């Protein structure tokens, strides 16, 4: 473990600082776009959940997702977000619909696209 950690740090030091900044900026932009997708789903279903509540719930779901209990955080993210929305006053059915729409758009709809791209890349001659 010590050797692996040392090698990782050595390789990380080889990456220029500007590349680290670009990667971290793109990661932050990705999370912001994901949060905006959640906010759009809530708005589309007419839920007026305060943005700080949504942001805190989203951050909590992202932290919980890092614990590898389920693939892609299935169940953990949905339950956490629905709980946060309902405790802030949103009706349970509308909160569930908004969160499931968000998960469909942000997670599950990407799988067929990725599978198609993978299939095209695996095609001989490409």
């Amino acid at each position: 473990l010590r050797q692996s950690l040392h090698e990782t740090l050595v390789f990380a030091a080889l990456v220029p600082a500007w590349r680290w900044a670009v990667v971290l900026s793109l990661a932050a932009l990705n999370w912001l776009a994901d949060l905006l997708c959640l906010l759009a789903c809530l708005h589309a279903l007419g839920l007026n959940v305060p943005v700080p509540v949504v942001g805190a719930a989203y951050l909590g779901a992202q932290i919980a997702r890092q614990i590898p209990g389920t693939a892609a955080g299935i169940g953990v993210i949905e339950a956490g977000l629905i709980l946060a929305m309902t405790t802030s006053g949103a009706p349970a059915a509308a909160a569930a619909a908004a969160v499931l729409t968000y998960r469909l758009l942000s997670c599950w709809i990407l799988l067929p696209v990725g599978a198609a791209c993978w299939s095209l890349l695996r095609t001989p001659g490409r």
Side-chain angles (χ1 to χ4, degrees):
L1 180 62
R2 187 181 305 156
Q3 180 183 357
S4 178
L5 181 60
H6 175 69
E7 289 174 0
T8 301
L9 292 174
V10 167
F11 287 131
L14 295 174
V15 177
W18 66 269
R19 283 197 180 175
W20 280 114
V22 168
V23 168
L24 290 174
S25 298
L26 291 174
L29 184 62
N30 178 46
W31 275 25
L32 179 61
D34 199 42
L35 176 59
L36 290 175
C37 178
L38 175 58
L39 288 168
C41 290
L42 291 169
H43 179 73
L45 288 164
L47 294 175
N48 293 320
V49 181
V51 174
V53 171
V54 177
Y58 176 80
L59 181 60
Q62 291 302 324
I63 291 170
R65 179 179 167 191
Q66 301 309 311
I67 302 168
T70 62
I74 298 171
V76 176
I77 292 176
E78 291 85 354
L81 290 175
I82 291 170
L83 178 65
M85 301 311 142
T86 55
T87 56
S88 69
V99 169
L100 293 177
T101 301
Y102 155 71
R103 287 294 280 170
L104 177 69
L105 293 173
S106 68
C107 184
W108 299 112
I109 206 164
L110 301 176
L111 292 177
V113 173
C117 292
W118 178 79
S119 176
L120 287 173
L121 290 172
R122 302 275 302 164
T123 303
R126 288 218 175 245

